[in-house]
């Protein structure tokens, strides 16, 4: 092995001694290349230092922005899940901008990277369009709060209704009156009209009662109003109002409007319905069945 190394060294030395001018030319070319590279190396080093300074300043600014956003979300009483998601989204977006600036600073072009990222985002967005719609709907619901957990809502599109049990970013869960769980996509809830039954503390309770045409309308209205006043759950500060709603084929339809706490709605509805029936019966006010009056003429009556 040592013999081979000595032979190679001897051969190289001989070639150098035989062609000294060519060796000098190569050495000069190498030195010249190094001289040309020195400005680029220095410039690159300076750019790296500037990039590090920009990164440090950018990181401090991002933390400040995130703290401001967090305080804003807390003041607006935004849902925790939404505030955390938006905070993460803002953080990712700011860091992407910072990284792009750093790459441009050190001389790396980001045009192609941005184009590829945009194309990929578009393709992903089209493939999960339905999920994105539900997600956007969930964010709008949690921010705008057309309803909250515990509210009773009715969706106009499908007619589904129930008490809001849980609001996620993609779906809202309802519990129906017969204790069934209904899951509705947030995209549907945000793009259709809905009724929030329990949005306010009080609610009007409406009744319609039919009496016969032979009954005393004035007396029947007095009975309805007096019966409503006797109910402890009916709000007495608000108007208790009875009226003639319709003159139907088989009955005179009376209406009654009272107010109650939203939580007492169904109790008032059921209790007053029963009490009204008992009071009308006690005062001989007839609640008629659907009926048809038929007049029969005797064709032989005029024959002598």
């Amino acid at each position: 092995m040592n013999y081979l190394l000595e032979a190679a060294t001897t051969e190289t030395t001989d070639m150098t001694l035989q062609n000294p001018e060519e060796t000098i030319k190569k050495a000069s070319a190498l030195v010249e290349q190094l001289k040309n590279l020195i400005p680029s190396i220095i410039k690159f080093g300076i750019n790296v230092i500037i990039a590090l300074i920009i990164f440090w300043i950018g990181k401090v600014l991002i933390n400040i922005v995130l703290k401001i956003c967090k305080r804003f979300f807390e003041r607006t009483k935004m849902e925790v899940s939404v505030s955390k998601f938006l905070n993460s989204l803002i953080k990712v977006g700011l860091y992407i901008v910072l990284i792009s600036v750093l790459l441009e600073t050190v001389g790396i072009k980001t045009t192609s990277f941005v184009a590829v990222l945009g194309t990929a985002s578009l393709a992903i967005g089209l493939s999960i369009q339905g999920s994105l719609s539900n997600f956007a709907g969930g964010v709008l619901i949690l921010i705008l709060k057309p309803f909250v957990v515990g509210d009773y809502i009715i969706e106009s599109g499908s007619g589904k209704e129930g008490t809001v049990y849980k609001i996620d970013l993609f779906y809202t869960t309802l519990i129906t009156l017969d204790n069934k769980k209904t899951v509705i996509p947030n995209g549907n809830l945000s793009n259709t009209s809905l009724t929030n039954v329990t949005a306010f503390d009080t609610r009007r309770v409406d009744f319609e009662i039919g009496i016969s045409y032979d009954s005393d309308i004035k007396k029947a209205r007095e009975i309805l109003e007096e019966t409503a006043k006797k109910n402890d759950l009916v709000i007495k500060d608000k108007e208790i109002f009875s009226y003639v709603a319709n003159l139907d084929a088989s009955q005179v339809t009376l209406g009654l409007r009272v107010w109650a706490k939203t939580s007492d709605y169904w109790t008032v509805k059921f209790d007053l319905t029963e009490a009204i029936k008992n009071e009308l019966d006690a005062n001989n006010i007839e609640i008629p069945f659907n009926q048809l009056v038929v007049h029969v003429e005797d064709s032989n009556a005029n024959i002598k």
Side-chain angles (χ1 to χ4, degrees), residues 167-185:
I167 305 174
D168 293 327
L169 286 175
F170 292 91
Y171 297 95
T172 294
T173 303
L174 306 181
I175 302 298
T176 62
L177 290 174
D178 54 351
N179 204 35
K180 294 178 181 177
K181 183 170 76 171
T182 302
V183 180
I184 304 177

Side-chain angles (χ1 to χ4, degrees), residues 12 30 41 115 128 185 212 229 234 236 250 272:
T12 304
L30 180 61
I41 294 172
I128 58 174
S212 66
K229 291 177 182 178
V234 172
K236 307 303 187 299
S250 303
L272 267 186

Side-chain angles (χ1 to χ4, degrees), residues 60 108 140 142 158 179 202 215 221 223 235 241 273 294:
V60 172
I108 300 175
L140 288 176
L142 290 170
S158 62
N179 204 35
T202 59
S215 299
R221 288 182 58 191
I223 291 172
I235 298 175
F241 177 64
T273 300
V294 179

Side-chain angles (χ1 to χ4, degrees), residues 50-101:
I50 294 174
L52 291 174
I53 295 172
I54 292 174
F55 176 76
W56 181 80
I57 296 174
K59 188 175 180 180
V60 172
L61 292 176
I62 288 174
N63 290 332
I64 293 173
V65 171
L66 293 176
K67 287 180 180 179
I68 294 173
C69 292
K70 184 179 180 181
R71 291 176 183 174
F72 174 76
F73 296 151
E74 290 175 351
R75 288 178 182 176
T76 56
K77 296 181 180 180
M78 187 181 294
E79 293 288 337
V80 177
S81 57
V82 178
S83 63
K84 287 184 177 179
F85 170 77
L86 291 178
N87 214 33
S88 300
L89 190 64
I90 294 171
K91 183 177 180 179
V92 171
L94 291 176
Y95 269 107
I96 289 176
V97 173
L98 179 59
I99 291 172
S100 299
V101 172

Side-chain angles (χ1 to χ4, degrees), residues 39-55:
S40 300
I41 294 172
I42 294 174
K43 183 179 179 181
F44 179 77
I46 294 173
N47 289 339
V48 170
I49 294 172
I50 294 174
L52 291 174
I53 295 172
I54 292 174
F55 176 76

